[in-house]
Each structure stands twice: as C-alpha cells, then as structure tokens.
Amino acid sequence: MRPANHVFSGLGTTIFTVMSALAAEHGAINLGQGFPDDEGPDDVRAVAAKALIDGPNQYPPMPGLPALRQAVAAANKRFYGLDVDWQKQVLVTSGATEALNDCLMALLNPGDEAILIEPAYDSYKPVIEAVGAKIVTVALEPPHWTLPLDRLAAAFTSKTKLILLNTPMNPTGKVFTRAELDAIAALLVKHDAYAVCDEVYEHLVFSGHKHIPLMTLPGMAERCVRIGSAGKTFSLTGWKIGYITGPEHLMTPIMKAHQFVTFTTAPATQTAIAFGLGKDDSYFAGLAASLEAKRDILAAGLKDAGFDVLPTNGTYFISADFRPLGFNGTDEEFCRDITIKAKVAAIPLSAFYAPNAAHAPRHLARFCFCKQDAILAESSARLKAYAKK
Ligand code: PMP
Ligand code: GLN
C-alpha cells in the first residue's frame, strides 16, 4: 500500500490524550491535560441552552455570528484599546486549534521559515510541516524561561515568514514582557515578517503581570493576528469556540482557509460566548484571581512534597523539578510513575520540544491547577506520600 502523508503518519497520539488515558486506567487525579473541573458559568450555559432550543440551528454565517464578531471586536477595544472592524477583521473558529491551523495554512508557503519558541504547544509543529514550511526553533532558558534575544535575532532570515508567539505561555506560565515584545516587533519590521499570536490564556494572568498583545505595539496591527479561546476564558474547553482578530489583508486568506477547514461553528455556543464576552470586568478579574489562588495552593503543596517549583505568572499550569525527590529517570518516566504509584497525572515538559531534542529539559513535570481546592490538596498529599517512599 502507498504511504499516507508523511507528517501525520509519523506522529504519535498527543501527550494530553496519552496521559489522560493513563490517568483513567489507574484511577489517578488528572493534573495532566489542561481543563477545569467545573462546568463553566451558569449564565453563559443558560444562554446556550435557550439558543439551542429556540434556534436557528442551521449553518451560521461562514465568518461567525455577527453578535459574536461584534463582541470580539468590543472586547479588543475594552481590554486593549484596539479598534477592530468586526466585519473585516474578526473570524470565529472551532477552537483556537482551528484558528492556528487556518492562520498557518493561509500565511505559509512551502519553503518559508516559521520561528517557534520552545517549549512550544504541540499542535504548531505538524501543521507547519504539513504545509511544507521549515521550523526554526529558539529555546527559552529555564528556570526563568528567559528569551535569548541574540539567538532570536539570529533565527530570523530572509525566508522567515512568521513567528508563532504564545503569551501567556503553555507550559511555562511565562508572560512575555514589554521589552521582549519590543524586541520581537523590531525583528518583524526588519525582516518584513508576521506574528501568529496564540493568546488563549489572555485573561489568566496573575498579580504583578499584565498581558500585552503584540498587536498593540506601534506598527504591529498590520503584522499580527491574535487568537483567543472561549474554552479558556469561560472554562468551557469542550465547546471549541475560538476567534481570530487581524488586519484585513491577512484575515482575507485566513477566512479562505477557514471556509474549507470547518466552514462554520455551532451557533448556540456562539450566541452564548457573545453574551459571555459582554460580562462585567469583575467576571474576568474573578477568573484570574481564582486561578491565582489555585496556583498558590498547588505551588505550596508541591514545595511541601519536595519539588523545586518554577515560577508561573499565567495560564493553568505550573512546572516542577522532580530531581530533589531523588528520581533519576526522565520526565516521561516520572510522569508515568506518579500516575501509577501516586495516582496523580502530569505532563512531561519534553513533550513541548522536537522529539529527541538534545536541549529539551528532562527533569520537569507540568501540573494543571484549574481544579477544586480539595483536589489540589489531595494531589499534594499523594505526591508527598510518594516522595517519602
Ligand atoms: N494554544 C494553546 C497554547 C493551548 O494551550 C491550547 C489548549 N488547548 C490551544 C491553543 C487550543 O485551544 P482550543 O481548545 O480553543 O482549541
Ligand atoms: N491545551 C491543553 C493542554 O495543554 C490540552 C488540549 C488538548 O488536549 N488538545 O493541556
């Protein structure tokens, strides 16, 4: 038989699915795959339920329901002062995952170079490779996940079409600073390149830190597309509603990609997210405050269990160095071991690097803290008991 596509046939199952399955098999608490263990806001779900019954339930407009596109434009203005034309500059997608694919397919040609900052979310790489573009990586330096500006500058060439920038960043919890964003912006101008900005954790940023969309910097509105996710902003990861904001000259081809990837997204959930994006500032601040408190609970619990805990300033995730526990294997081995023996699942950080990358850290595990406080406490207790053995 003839081989299928070389990129996809060469891939394994994503680490999130692998670890969730292992957690289920062993009855472990799942602090691996990132999803909240509550049901999301009642009022947002009530709007969806009503819209599902009342209809319409046929194909919504290809770029998204006007109400949601207007709400995305209004949120851009409210949170970041961005002036966005909802008809030309906003697209609704089936999750940020589709949004990323649409952007990469629409912007890259075979032979172009795309810069990824490692550790990088696992869906970026295969899509870039599938369109025939070349990946150039720049690795952050743990434990503070410093961006090496000299190496970043060296990664840009005349073939660089875009950089993929994820801030706040999964898995590190890094929130890129204004100085780092200024440096990236200068490189984009110098090399006439674009940025695909994965900002799904835009509202999950903790005290002392601020999310700055690269798009808000001088000259960047024409070069950036920014991606949001209702999954993260409303704790409704199963709904798969994402949205892209960008300049018309980039949104036009991105909408063409979208029309043949999914064409459109379920209408009832779009109506509900349009309502959700209009909620008071207190909703968004409350979400961040609640997650910050959970971060603090898990950070303290992991420290108490003996881990060296890395700083995290946003997202659902915290990373911890397990070497002080006396575990000498790899991060994959560690995550399997705690899933089976401590009955707590986590994600090995090396999953966010190219396979066999020599520079990938092998001593860090990512734990997800968007869980009930009692679950976080129980996880820490189990890990402490495991560490003592
Ligand atoms: N980007 C990052 C960095 C993520 O962590 C996720 C989480 N799933 C996604 C994109 C995909 O978001 P969605 O669930 O909206 O497709
Ligand atoms: N983004 C989630 C995480 O990093 C997982 C999403 C998925 O399973 N595809 O854990």
Side-chain angles (χ1 to χ4, degrees):
M1 301 286 274
R2 301 182 64 182
N5 174 272
H6 68 284
V7 174
F8 294 101
S9 52
L11 289 176
T13 303
T14 93
I15 189 70
F16 308 115
T17 299
V18 170
M19 292 311 299
S20 285
L22 194 70
E25 185 187 335
H26 292 277
I29 297 175
N30 190 356
L31 302 188
Q33 191 178 29
F35 58 89
D37 63 355
D38 63 35
E39 285 300 328
D42 288 347
D43 54 356
V44 176
R45 285 185 294 126
V47 173
K50 184 170 185 314
L52 197 65
I53 296 301
D54 293 352
N57 282 294
Q58 306 310 332
Y59 293 129
M62 185 271 281
L65 288 183
L68 179 50
R69 294 159 72 204
Q70 286 160 5
V72 171
N76 271 293
K77 182 75 181 168
R78 165 157 58 140
F79 294 110
Y80 312 115
L82 287 165
D83 286 303
V84 170
D85 176 339
W86 70 269
Q87 285 178 292
K88 297 187 177 131
Q89 293 186 258
V90 178
L91 174 68
V92 177
T93 60
S94 295
T97 307
E98 189 217 321
L100 285 158
N101 289 11
D102 294 346
C103 293
L104 295 170
M105 287 195 295
L107 300 183
L108 290 169
N109 280 315
D112 285 345
E113 291 177 3
I115 298 178
L116 287 189
I117 300 177
E118 279 181 328
Y121 183 60
D122 70 343
S123 83
Y124 307 153
K125 189 168 166 287
V127 181
I128 295 171
E129 285 174 345
V131 301
K134 186 180 161 215
I135 295 172
V136 177
T137 55
V138 178
L140 300 181
E141 292 158 2
H144 295 290
W145 305 112
T146 320
L147 177 65
L149 291 177
D150 50 340
R151 272 193 248 138
L152 180 68
F156 277 81
T157 74
S158 59
K159 289 189 179 160
T160 305
K161 176 65 76 64
L162 60 85
I163 184 168
L164 211 160
L165 179 67
N166 176 212
T167 183
M169 189 187 208
N170 179 6
T172 60
K174 176 183 173 77
V175 178
F176 282 70
T177 63
R178 174 68 197 228
E180 289 169 328
L181 297 174
D182 279 334
I184 294 170
L187 289 165
L188 293 182
V189 171
K190 183 172 171 198
H191 296 275
D192 188 20
Y194 301 118
V196 172
C197 301
D198 179 343
E199 301 180 13
V200 299
Y201 299 103
E202 60 187 322
H203 292 294
L204 311 186
V205 178
F206 310 140
S207 304
H209 297 269
K210 189 174 170 233
H211 172 58
I212 307 171
L214 183 61
M215 184 179 277
T216 60
L217 270 55
M220 286 298 106
E222 292 306 302
R223 295 190 179 275
C224 295
V225 290
R226 70 176 215 95
I227 296 171
S229 169
K232 318 294 176 186
T233 298
F234 298 100
S235 308
L236 292 162
T237 60
W239 282 19
K240 299 300 291 188
I241 300 270
Y243 21 86
I244 313 175
T245 305
E248 190 182 351
H249 69 107
L250 299 181
M251 292 310 292
T252 301
I254 290 168
M255 288 189 197
K256 297 288 157 52
H258 163 75
Q259 74 179 343
F260 294 132
V261 175
T262 56
F263 182 72
T264 191
T265 298
T269 46
Q270 290 197 50
T271 301
I273 297 305
F275 164 81
L277 283 174
K279 281 165 81 81
D280 289 352
D281 289 356
S282 61
Y283 166 77
F284 299 89
L287 177 71
S290 144
L291 279 162
E292 179 167 346
K294 291 179 184 301
R295 173 201 62 180
D296 292 344
I297 292 171
L298 190 59
L302 291 172
K303 267 184 213 144
D304 185 46
F307 291 87
D308 270 347
V309 177
L310 276 60
T312 185
N313 302 317
T315 77
Y316 288 154
F317 308 115
I318 190 160
S319 296
D321 182 342
F322 51 78
R323 288 172 301 189
L325 271 58
F327 190 91
N328 292 321
T330 66
D331 55 347
E332 279 176 39
E333 288 161 355
F334 179 75
C335 290
R336 290 188 72 84
D337 205 54
I338 57 171
T339 305
I340 295 166
K341 293 187 189 153
K343 306 235 179 284
V344 177
I347 300 288
L349 252 280
S350 61
F352 293 79
Y353 291 76
N356 306 320
H359 60 279
R362 308 271 168 195
H363 59 280
L364 298 172
R366 187 198 80 174
F367 295 88
C368 173
F369 53 75
C370 53
K371 307 289 175 187
Q372 291 163 38
D373 296 356
I375 298 284
L376 298 175
E378 173 62 20
S379 304
S380 304
R382 290 184 187 188
L383 288 166
K384 190 171 176 177
Y386 163 90
K388 278 197 184 142
K389 282 189 191 150

